[in-house]
Amino acid sequence: MSTLLTELQILAIQLRILPTQINIMADKFSQAILDGLEKKRSPLKMLPSYLSTPSRKEVGTFLALDFGGTNVRVLLTQLLGQGHYRVHSRVASPLHDIDNHYNYITDQSTADQLFDFIALKIGTIVKPDTRYLLGHTFSFPTHQTSLNTGTLIHWTKEIETTGMEGKDITQLLTAALSRNGLTNVLPQAIINDTVGTLLTAAYMNQSTRIGSICGTGHNTAYLEPSSPLTKAPMIINLESGNFDQLPFTSYDIQLDANSETPGAQPLEKMVSGHYIGELVRLIACNLFDAGLLATSSGRNILTTPYLLNGAHISLLQEDDTGELVIINHWLEDSLHITNSSIEDRNVLKTIATLICTRSARLVAATYLGIIKHIDPHLEHSHNIAIDGSLYEKMPGYAQDIQLTLDQALADTAAIATTTLTKDGSGVGAAIATAIAVNTKS
Ligand code: GLC
């Protein structure tokens, strides 16, 4: 019979991403970029944004709407030029609120209901007699034919609102604004959050060419030096969460099979905040079933899918008290798992660390793939702008990404750094709007 220690050792091997694998993955990712650009079959959607990096002279006050799937935020943002900005007012609301009895992200909600809710939020921030130009950060795969048109290809991150896939999101928003008497609010641009992060970082530091989100979802955008559409530089949304040439474990396969969209977003399901808690749960259940965890009250409770979220995984890793008392309190208070043994708590912490380290290394491999594409001789410096809860808050996550990049580029002249770029969705939408206005005039 296998012991707990042996099982954990096996798990560590299954979840380990070796330096050679990083390089192989990066090369496959670079190839997928090329295939996508050439319209060959590729897991990367390579969606054009109709934007290049900003001139940094963009100024003006704009409304930014940020729809990422968990919350909706509206911000009145003033761009001051050269990387400076001020947020004058903001409102934010969850899209799913049990206490207030609404949920706009299930298949029980329609596009019109969702956009009426969004229009209501916009209405709380705008004055009736003022004209507002609005930029919309819509963080889902969107097929754009111009800066202000975008058709939702399909939902990701388990969102299910009906009547949106295949529809032009700007038209849905404009119709809702009109239904709600907000004809003074004029949508000018729709962008992905990765594009917003890149725009914001490049507004501050012109050399930034890569923007990424490591949060509830995962995705990256980069500045393609020669876009197939214009032969000029254009920011491309990779939708890298759909990358699929990866070392899957049985847990990844199980998670995917039980998800809303089996087969879709394989990388995102291995790395992002929406899924890492579920991976930890599946592994813990497996150890329970093998009789290797002792806390009897835990098994039944752990049967609930998506019981664990990204914040729980952070907590598991943060607890450095000898007896893991913080984890113990959380298990008791939030999950009603009583009398957990220190050994079991340590196991949960170990699993969380293994899953997070794997996540950071896989993500870093995709960054390396982009760097190899834009700098084939690996001779330049690259700054990767990143936003999202994993990168910002998960203990050790940012360091693991940096370490992986440093190791992979050690024998080259290239350097890769990563920087936290906050407010990318709100400020990026304002920058995109300023660019739209400048292009028209
Ligand atoms: C999902 C979406 C993508 C978004 C990412 C981060 O992967 O498909 O568009 O950028 O989440 O929010």
Side-chain angles (χ1 to χ4, degrees):
M1 204 179 91
S2 67
T3 63
L4 179 60
L5 191 64
T6 324
E7 268 312 307
L8 287 179
Q9 280 166 349
I10 294 172
L11 193 66
I13 292 170
Q14 287 172 335
L15 295 172
R16 185 173 63 185
I17 310 290
L18 298 168
T20 45
Q21 287 175 290
I22 299 276
N23 272 313
I24 293 170
M25 256 190 71
D27 288 340
K28 288 181 176 167
F29 197 86
S30 294
Q31 186 58 48
I33 292 180
L34 281 179
D35 289 345
L37 288 173
E38 290 169 10
K39 294 265 175 264
K40 291 186 192 151
R41 204 180 147 79
S42 168
L44 301 177
K45 293 190 176 65
M46 308 298 292
L47 302 170
S49 68
Y50 293 88
L51 284 166
S52 182
T53 42
S55 67
R56 307 181 69 237
K57 294 188 187 118
E58 293 78 6
V59 289
T61 301
F62 306 101
L63 260 190
L65 166 63
D66 176 18
F67 179 91
T70 314
N71 295 300
V72 59
R73 296 189 309 150
V74 188
L75 307 99
L76 191 63
T77 305
Q78 183 181 12
L79 300 177
L80 301 160
Q82 310 298 327
H84 301 288
Y85 63 88
R86 203 173 289 147
V87 176
H88 287 287
S89 44
R90 66 174 91 206
V91 288
S93 281
L95 291 160
H96 174 198
D97 187 336
I98 300 173
D99 296 337
N100 289 302
H101 313 290
Y102 68 74
N103 187 351
Y104 292 108
I105 49 178
T106 60
D107 57 2
Q108 302 302 306
S109 282
T110 65
D112 283 357
Q113 288 167 333
L114 169 66
F115 276 103
D116 281 338
F117 178 73
I118 291 174
L120 209 72
K121 297 293 148 197
I122 295 176
T124 62
I125 224 173
V126 301
K127 296 189 193 118
D129 48 356
T130 309
R131 189 169 158 269
Y132 295 89
L133 303 179
L134 177 142
H136 184 186
T137 303
F138 183 73
S139 310
F140 297 92
T142 305
H143 175 69
Q144 295 192 233
T145 50
S146 72
L147 180 51
N148 199 25
T149 56
T151 305
L152 173 61
I153 300 172
H154 57 70
W155 282 124
T156 52
K157 299 180 276 194
E158 314 288 307
I159 310 287
E160 295 178 281
T161 314
T162 60
M164 280 180 71
E165 290 179 334
K167 296 278 169 55
D168 186 295
I169 300 305
T170 307
Q171 279 176 16
L172 291 174
L173 172 64
T174 309
L177 289 168
S178 156
R179 277 198 301 279
N180 289 273
L182 293 168
T183 46
N184 54 330
V185 177
L186 306 166
Q188 304 293 307
I190 180 164
I191 58 168
N192 188 260
D193 52 354
T194 55
V195 176
T197 302
L198 173 48
L199 288 176
T200 305
Y203 192 53
M204 296 188 254
N205 166 4
Q206 204 154 26
S207 68
T208 308
R209 296 279 178 274
I210 302 172
S212 186
I213 300 288
C214 296
T216 307
H218 168 64
N219 185 19
T220 303
Y222 78 105
L223 183 71
E224 169 56 42
S226 174
S227 132
L229 280 177
T230 56
K231 308 289 172 234
M234 187 188 286
I235 300 174
I236 306 268
N237 166 14
L238 290 160
E239 285 296 323
S240 57
N242 198 45
F243 187 63
D244 59 357
Q245 291 154 62
L246 299 158
F248 299 111
T249 66
S250 58
Y251 304 106
D252 301 305
I253 294 165
Q254 198 182 341
L255 181 146
D256 178 56
N258 295 334
S259 71
E260 294 294 343
T261 51
Q265 301 293 95
L267 175 66
E268 185 162 70
K269 286 173 181 162
M270 289 171 91
V271 303
S272 84
H274 189 79
Y275 299 99
I276 52 173
E278 181 62 358
L279 286 170
V280 171
R281 187 191 72 84
L282 290 174
I283 296 170
C285 282
N286 189 46
L287 293 178
F288 261 116
D289 292 343
L292 297 173
L293 293 183
T295 310
S296 54
S297 60
R299 180 62 183 99
N300 279 344
I301 291 168
L302 277 180
T303 50
T304 311
Y306 291 90
L307 180 78
L308 306 181
N309 60 32
H312 298 143
I313 304 309
S314 253
L315 181 144
L316 283 170
Q317 292 202 83
E318 262 157 22
D319 190 350
D320 50 13
T321 61
E323 304 217 320
L324 302 180
V325 288
I326 301 173
I327 297 178
N328 192 28
H329 283 152
W330 162 65
L331 288 173
E332 286 186 356
D333 298 347
S334 300
L335 301 188
H336 310 294
I337 297 176
T338 50
N339 304 322
S340 66
S341 67
I342 300 184
E343 195 179 35
D344 284 4
R345 298 201 287 273
N346 255 315
V347 171
L348 280 182
K349 186 178 164 86
T350 304
I351 304 171
T353 304
L354 290 173
I355 287 289
C356 285
T357 307
R358 182 181 75 153
S359 165
R361 289 180 67 76
L362 291 175
V363 163
T366 69
Y367 296 159
L368 192 64
I370 300 170
I371 291 172
K372 285 185 170 189
H373 171 72
I374 55 183
D375 179 14
H377 301 297
L378 294 176
E379 52 195 358
H380 299 293
S381 293
H382 303 273
N383 177 39
I384 306 164
I386 311 179
D387 197 4
S389 50
L390 261 73
Y391 182 76
E392 188 183 1
K393 296 186 187 141
M394 190 66 75
Y397 197 83
Q399 291 86 336
D400 279 342
I401 292 181
Q402 189 62 59
L403 200 71
T404 308
L405 289 170
D406 289 349
Q407 282 169 349
L409 294 171
D411 296 332
T412 77
I415 295 172
T417 50
T418 66
T419 36
L420 177 66
T421 302
K422 299 279 295 165
D423 289 340
S425 299
V427 179
I431 297 169
T433 310
I435 295 175
V437 175
N438 293 342
T439 314
K440 277 182 203 162
S441 59

